[in-house]
Structures are given as structure tokens and as C-alpha cells.
Amino acid sequence: MSPVSTSTKDGIAVITINNPPVNALSHAVREGLQTAVETCDGDDAVKAIVLICEGRTFIAGADIREFGQPPQAPHLPDVVNRIEACGKPVIAAIHGTALGGGLEVAMGCHFRIARPDAAVGLPEVKLGLLPGATGTQRLPRLTEVKTALDMMIAGDPLPAPQAFQAGIIDRLADGDLLDGALQYAQDLVAANVAPRRTRDLPVTPVAENFFADYRQSIVRKTRGLFAPQQIVTCVENALRLSFDEAVAEERRLFAECRNSPQSAGLRHAFFAEREAARVPGLGRDTPTRPLQSAAIIGAGTMGAGIAYACINAGMQVFLLDSDDAGLKRGTQTIEKLLAGGVERGKLDKAAAAACRQRLTTTSDYADLADVDIVIEAVFETMAIKKEVFGQLDAVCKPGAILATNTSTLDIDAIASATGRPKDVIGLHFFSPAHIMKLLEIVRGSHTADDVIATSLTLARRLGKIGVVVGNCFGFVGNRMLYSYGRENQLMLLEGAAPESIDKALHDWGMAMGPNAVGDLAGLDVGYKVRQERTDLPDDPRFYRVANKLAEMGRYGQKTGKGMYLYEAGSRQPIPDPLVHDLIKAEADALGIEQRDISAEEIVERCIYGLIVEGTRILQDGIASRPGDIDVIWMYGYGFPRHRGGPMHYADSIGLDKVYARVCEFRDRFGPMYWEPPALLRELAESGRSFADLAAESG
């Protein structure tokens, strides 16, 4: 059956789209919609048309199942133009979200009515695209040029009341949407109102330097991205070209965006994020455990951030610390976060007060007897964590989930301190825990399936992306980080200044350079972890500079000096000649002759180091899919989303080229770090990619 149907009531045709779950613009929908409009346009009994959708939303965009496939006629721009060309008033009735092509269809209609709780938007930029079905030309004709640009550059939905104020929506429905739309249609017919075609509306003029200033204003937040500047060009065209000429340019620039590596990377990121929620071997019908209450062990910055995230998600939370001063600091941290949420409009005062009511502080483990989940966030020391888990095992109820926030340590070793290893799991939050979206979910050898399923549910409840990984030192993210950081540290000794390395990687797209990140996280943190390890390489160069700085008490921003200097109250890194001298002295002591290192080599060694270790992780079965690694590095470590993550980036280069370069590094720097994994060699020699590997594994 067609997903588009038509009925008539009192001379008003109602075209209904029913294509669950989000009424996506599949080929069948486009074809059915165009046919329905043409039929109604030719029916003399029809005086006006209402376009409405069944289910929970209006058209929420393109059909993702058709991504990457050759487009089939009718193409969406032709459907939108056919709707607009209709000789009778066409009213879009919007509920839920009208996004992307959905809003373009609505703008092709002559009038728009929406429920007050609806939202509209053009999010194509998030996939490295621009609105390619006349959206860049219609939106600035319905609202101010800056409003249109802001919507398309951010890609975020605009609530219907704001869209009404902006002129994008013509009427807000008071009561039932269909009844309101039918009444709107009858009003238009009674007043003999002709179709109001968006293409014929003028674009409000702007100042001569408006577009130059606007381009400059978005440079920072769109750093390195291709599509945003093309969107600005399209809107400029709305003022200087005819509608049809500007639409032709829109299609040309849309094709450029669609065929760009950036769009490929962003589309990969979109699908990889969706796929990460599907854990191989874990059925969708796997039961979950109740999650009404939680206990957080440790009231430091991480523990307080996790506690805030949980109370903000409606959970009853116990925050436990053995030290009263620690509890006081943790409570103060949570208070600051609540106050900040209110100030930024994320919370109202009543919601903040309710959050406070859900928080209880304690130093008594007995108070945790009835909680559903415990998340430990104490020092990254195995002995301390085992002691904590022994106490939890003694007091927590049967079936309570015992989670550790460890970032590196063996989950099975921690679980061995309990008599219930099936209830133990790793929940590796990233700092700041209330902001960072990644949650690395680490399954131990005995972790029960329902514990994994419940942890994924918790991630969603906290607004995070959960990725399930296997158990090894550092899991996925931090295990790879050692390879990335190692090359940074080696290049320091070889002659690259900290600021040169950071600039090269930031310019390439990383959120921050590795030396600035180290200072932000605290050089003492990594130092303490390395002191606990017994499997470090027998290499005096390994993290030598970072170790020396930590031993000098230069921990980074927290001490005002680390790899860089920091002025009081500032996070701006200042290069320090003392650090340059220290690095030179250490290089001399090791007999390393320093040299100039190009930005290209800096990027290749750091990023290829990630790729090599990521391949080993796949080879070891620690990650289920290459895309899971990409999601972890994009959301946890600031890898540029438009590059799709390290494994997709390797595919975009070509694994044969990556393998050849890794072999060059092995021959130049030795096999200790650069021996190519067997999986990389196999894929390169067979002409396959990581994407092929993922498809083969299902």
C-alpha cells in the first residue's frame, strides 16, 4: 500500500503520509505525495489541501536507508516545486518535527500551521550537507536572513512558537491539529486567498558587509568545515540571483558537499553512533534491571559530576566519601553545576530544587544497602578499588549493579574482590562527566547480559552514548591514547616544540593538541597510572618528558605550570622556555639529535599511531566494530567528526597507503611501536577496508 493517502471533507482534501517511524521521505513517499497533489490540483471539487502526517511526527527528513544509493525520480526538489505550483492553497499541518526535507516540503506549501510543541529545522550541515531541495532559498524568504543562516549553520531545531515569531510558521494550532488545519483551510477559501508561493516572496535586504562579517563570525565554531561556507554562499545567492538561478547553484553546491570527504565522514559518524547501541550477542529483548537509585563513591570532581548527571536524570542519589571535607567539596561542586544550569536556562529553579532533594551525602556504606547501582569513582589504584568493592559486596542488595569508573584498570581484577562478578561492570565516564557524551561500557569476563543492557539504558537516560568494549588495559580509548601520546612525547625529544605539535594537530582538526590536553587533565594523573603498570615498554624515551614534569610538581593547569605556563585565572597555555630547555637536556642525555619536524609528520605519526593501535584492538576483539572505535574517539577525545574517526579516516586514505606508510615508519623508527598488525596487512593486501570488515562481520 502507498504510504500516502487522500480523503476529502467539505471541499478540503487531506493528504496523509504514514511512513513509520518518522515519515521519512522515501521514494514511495515522494512519488505518492506528488501524485496526490497532482490529483487534487486537477479535481474541481477540491478547494484547498491540507498535508498532514500520521504517527508521532511530521516528515523528519530523508530516508536514511536510501543514503548512498542512486536517487530515484521524483527527486525531492521537483516534489517541493510541484506542491508550490498547485493552483489551490496547500497548508502543511506540523506536529513533532519538520526537519530537513520535511521542512523543505512544508516551505513548498503555501501556508503552515503547527502544534505549539512542534519544532522545525534544517540539520543537513550535521551530515556535511546543505539543504538541497530549495531550503536555502525558501527559508530566507520566510524569515530574516540572519535567522535563516543561524538555523542552517547550527542545524538545531527551532521550537514552533519561535518559528511562528520568525515568520516560518503562520499559525499555531489551538487544540486538535487536523481540526485547526481544516479550519485554516476553510478560512482561506472563504476569504478567496490565493496560493502564497514562497519563491515569490522578497528577501529582506542586508547591510553591504553583512555576509563578510557573518562568515567571519562562524569561523571558530565551524573550524575546518566545508558545508557552512557553502550555505552562506547559497543565501547570498538568494539576494543576487533569480530564484531559479539560485536553486541551480544550490543543487551544484549540494552535490559538492555530498561528494566531499567531510560529508562521507559525518555520515559515517551518524551511522556508527546508531550502530554502537547494537551489541553483538546481546538481544534486543534482553531484560534490564531497575534503575531508580544510585550511589556514587568518591566526591571528587568526577564523582560529583556523575552524581549531578544522575540527579538531573531523576534518580535518587547517595554521594559517599570517607572524608567530610571531601563531601563538602563535592556538594559545593554540585551546587555550582545546578546554579550554572539555572543561569543557562537548562534548568528552572523548581527543577534545581528537586535535584537537591534527590541528593543525599553520607560516609556510611550501610546507607547504600538498597541502591540499584553503585558507581565507584575513587583514585585510579587497584588496591583502593578492591577495598571499595569488598565493602560494596558486603552491604549492597542482591542484584545491585557494581560499576567502576576506572579508566585503565582490569575489570576482572576489581570484580575478584566481590562474590558477584556477574554484577560488576566498568562505566568509564569522561571529564567533565556531566557534559561529555561518551560512556565507555566495559564488560568483564563474567558480566551478566542484563547488566550490560541496563548500563546501555543508563547511558541513554543520562543523555550519553554508550559503547560496549572488552576488558584490557585502557580498554579502547585510553589504550589508543598511549600510542597517540607516545608519538607526541617522542617527537618532543626529536625536536618538535610542544606548541608546534599542538598547533599541527589542532589545525588538522583535533579539539586540542596533546600537550594542552595533558595539562588540562593533569600530568600527575597519567604519571600515577604509569607507575602502577608493569607492562611498559623497555624504552627510556617512553613518556620521559611528561614523567620529568610530573616529578617536578608541574601538573598542568591545576598548578599553573605543566607543559606550558598559565597565568592566574587563565586557561591559555603560554610556551615555557624552561620546558624547552628541559626537553633539549633530556634529548642530549639520550643521545637524540634534534631536527625540524614538519606538521605533516606530526599529524601522520600521531594519527597513524591511533590507527595501528585501533587495528590491534579489533584484532584482539576488544572492540566489536571499527565504528565503535570511531565513536569513542570522536566523543571522548575530540577527534574531528568530519573525518569520521580514526578507522574511517584510514579508509578514506586507503589501507594500502596507510600500510605502506606504517612500514616506512617501522623501517625508520624500529618495530617496537610500528610493526604493522596482521589485520592491517591482510586488509591492505586484499584491497579491503575497515568498512568492508564491519559489513562482513554483520
Side-chain angles (χ1 to χ4, degrees):
M1 293 179 61
S2 171
V4 180
S5 60
T6 306
S7 61
T8 305
K9 183 178 181 180
D10 299 330
I12 309 299
V14 178
I15 298 175
T16 304
I17 297 173
N18 185 16
N19 185 32
V22 294
N23 292 311
L25 284 161
S26 65
H27 173 254
V29 169
R30 298 193 305 274
E31 188 174 58
L33 181 54
Q34 179 164 292
T35 299
V37 170
E38 289 174 345
T39 300
C40 292
D41 199 14
D43 187 344
D44 292 340
V46 172
K47 304 303 180 186
I49 302 167
V50 168
L51 173 60
I52 196 166
C53 294
E54 293 278 0
R56 56 190 172 92
T57 185
F58 192 73
I59 303 164
D63 190 334
I64 61 172
R65 293 170 296 186
E66 296 182 4
F67 278 23
Q69 297 180 8
Q72 291 179 275
H75 306 301
L76 185 58
D78 298 328
V79 176
V80 173
N81 287 333
R82 182 61 188 89
I83 293 170
E84 186 175 59
C86 184
K88 300 159 184 181
V90 183
I91 301 98
I94 300 169
H95 75 294
T97 53
L99 299 178
L103 179 55
E104 288 175 305
V105 166
M107 291 191 294
C109 297
H110 307 126
F111 305 95
R112 286 153 292 282
I113 183 172
R115 278 178 34 169
D117 58 354
V120 300
L122 294 172
E124 286 84 353
V125 72
K126 295 184 178 182
L127 294 179
L129 302 170
L130 55 80
T134 71
T136 66
Q137 300 309 301
R138 296 188 188 282
L139 191 57
R141 285 172 163 80
L142 291 173
T143 189
E144 295 293 325
V145 167
K146 185 177 184 304
T147 301
L149 279 169
D150 288 348
M151 284 181 64
M152 289 186 278
I153 297 299
D156 296 327
L158 188 69
Q162 292 174 237
F164 172 70
Q165 292 294 327
I168 303 165
I169 300 296
D170 299 298
R171 185 180 288 191
L172 294 175
D174 182 15
D176 181 78
L177 178 62
L178 179 57
D179 289 345
L182 290 170
Q183 184 59 57
Y184 193 7
Q186 294 288 7
D187 293 345
L188 293 169
V189 171
N192 200 29
V193 175
R196 185 193 61 190
R197 297 183 171 88
T198 306
R199 64 175 291 143
D200 296 333
L201 300 176
V203 181
T204 305
V206 296
E208 183 178 353
N209 60 347
F210 171 83
F211 288 105
D213 291 345
Y214 191 88
R215 287 183 188 276
Q216 188 59 38
S217 74
I218 64 171
V219 165
R220 185 174 178 182
K221 65 182 176 183
T222 63
R223 178 170 63 95
L225 296 177
F226 178 70
Q229 293 294 335
Q230 311 317 307
I231 290 171
V232 178
T233 297
C234 285
V235 177
E236 280 186 287
N237 289 340
L239 281 160
R240 67 183 189 86
L241 300 177
S242 70
F243 182 87
D244 291 330
E245 289 171 331
V247 165
E249 275 296 286
E250 178 192 85
R251 292 303 298 169
R252 184 183 70 79
L253 292 173
F254 175 83
E256 282 190 21
C257 290
R258 183 190 59 209
N259 296 331
S260 71
Q262 288 193 2
S263 183
L266 288 164
R267 281 181 274 132
H268 167 77
F270 174 81
F271 286 112
E273 183 181 325
R274 292 167 60 92
E275 191 67 19
R278 303 183 180 96
V279 181
L282 191 73
R284 292 189 178 186
D285 57 350
T286 302
T288 58
R289 301 186 186 184
L291 275 183
Q292 300 307 314
S293 59
I296 314 301
I297 313 298
T301 302
M302 178 62 79
I306 297 171
Y308 172 80
C310 290
I311 59 174
N312 205 25
M315 301 177 74
Q316 296 291 330
V317 174
F318 290 85
L319 179 62
L320 183 146
D321 200 289
S322 59
D323 179 56
D324 287 343
L327 279 177
K328 183 177 180 181
R329 284 194 299 272
T331 303
Q332 289 173 341
T333 299
I334 292 169
E335 279 296 330
K336 288 179 182 176
L337 294 175
L338 288 169
V342 171
E343 186 177 338
R344 294 190 304 275
K346 301 290 186 182
L347 293 170
D348 58 31
K349 290 183 178 179
C355 284
R356 293 185 186 95
Q357 290 295 316
R358 289 193 288 271
L359 178 67
T360 302
T361 59
T362 182
S363 57
D364 188 352
Y365 276 85
D367 289 340
L368 313 185
D370 292 322
V371 297
D372 297 321
I373 185 170
V374 181
I375 304 171
E376 163 272 311
V378 301
F379 291 113
E380 190 74 349
T381 304
M382 181 61 78
I384 296 176
K385 291 186 184 291
K386 281 188 170 183
E387 179 184 346
V388 168
F389 272 75
Q391 294 187 69
L392 294 174
D393 190 42
V395 302
C396 289
K397 68 184 181 183
I401 294 174
L402 308 183
T404 173
N405 180 53
T406 180
S407 58
T408 58
L409 300 178
D410 186 340
I411 303 300
D412 291 332
I414 294 171
S416 71
T418 77
R420 47 172 111 177
K422 64 183 177 61
D423 295 332
V424 177
I425 195 165
L427 294 180
H428 178 203
F429 288 79
F430 287 70
S431 185
H434 64 291
I435 292 176
M436 294 292 282
K437 289 195 69 174
L438 178 66
L439 182 61
E440 206 174 17
I441 299 171
V442 190
R443 65 197 311 172
S445 299
H446 305 287
T447 306
D449 283 355
D450 64 342
V451 172
I452 298 168
T454 305
S455 298
L456 286 164
T457 299
L458 175 66
R460 290 190 292 271
R461 184 168 177 178
L462 299 181
K464 300 189 182 299
I465 296 164
V467 183
V468 177
V469 301
N471 182 30
C472 66
F473 178 84
F475 321 126
V476 169
N478 281 343
R479 175 171 161 178
M480 291 173 66
L481 184 63
Y482 265 84
S483 298
Y484 180 77
R486 176 201 73 221
E487 290 304 307
N488 167 56
Q489 291 281 311
L490 293 177
M491 286 187 286
L492 291 172
L493 292 169
E494 292 168 26
E499 57 272 21
S500 298
I501 293 174
D502 283 0
K503 182 178 187 305
L505 286 158
H506 181 264
D507 288 350
W508 184 79
M510 296 298 291
M512 296 175 69
N515 298 297
V517 168
D519 277 0
L520 176 63
L523 296 179
D524 54 323
V525 176
Y527 179 78
K528 290 173 183 174
V529 171
R530 290 190 293 277
Q531 297 307 299
E532 287 242 331
R533 290 185 68 177
T534 58
D535 61 342
L536 292 178
D538 183 17
D539 180 358
R541 303 170 302 163
F542 189 80
Y543 280 83
R544 187 179 182 99
V545 175
N547 289 344
K548 290 289 182 182
L549 292 173
E551 288 162 2
M552 294 167 62
R554 296 181 63 118
Y555 297 156
Q557 291 187 15
K558 68 177 82 173
T559 58
K561 53 187 177 181
M563 194 67 74
Y564 299 104
L565 291 174
Y566 299 88
E567 295 178 347
S570 171
R571 294 180 179 270
Q572 182 66 35
I574 302 170
D576 187 351
L578 186 150
V579 171
H580 293 177
D581 292 343
L582 179 147
I583 293 170
K584 181 66 167 65
E586 294 302 318
D588 290 343
L590 293 167
I592 298 172
E593 184 177 346
Q594 295 196 316
R595 60 187 174 87
D596 289 334
I597 300 179
S598 69
E600 181 182 16
E601 181 180 337
I602 289 168
V603 169
E604 282 193 333
R605 285 175 62 180
C606 287
I607 303 304
Y608 282 34
L610 287 178
I611 294 166
V612 167
E613 196 60 37
T615 308
R616 292 192 184 111
I617 283 169
L618 288 170
Q619 192 171 272
D620 295 346
I622 299 300
S624 300
R625 292 169 289 247
D628 289 356
I629 295 174
D630 290 334
V631 170
I632 287 169
W633 265 81
M634 286 184 291
Y635 279 103
Y637 299 89
F639 197 95
R641 190 173 175 85
H642 66 269
R643 296 192 187 272
M647 312 317 284
H648 174 82
Y649 178 66
D651 278 352
S652 72
I653 297 169
L655 294 194
D656 56 339
K657 295 183 177 65
V658 172
Y659 176 70
R661 189 66 167 142
V662 170
C663 289
E664 288 178 26
F665 287 152
R666 176 199 58 200
D667 296 343
R668 182 178 173 190
F669 300 115
M672 178 182 288
Y673 304 127
W674 288 108
E675 187 62 43
L679 177 60
L680 180 60
R681 182 181 68 250
E682 176 192 333
L683 292 172
E685 291 179 349
S686 64
R688 289 147 65 220
S689 65
F690 288 119
D692 293 330
L693 183 69
E696 291 161 9
S697 63

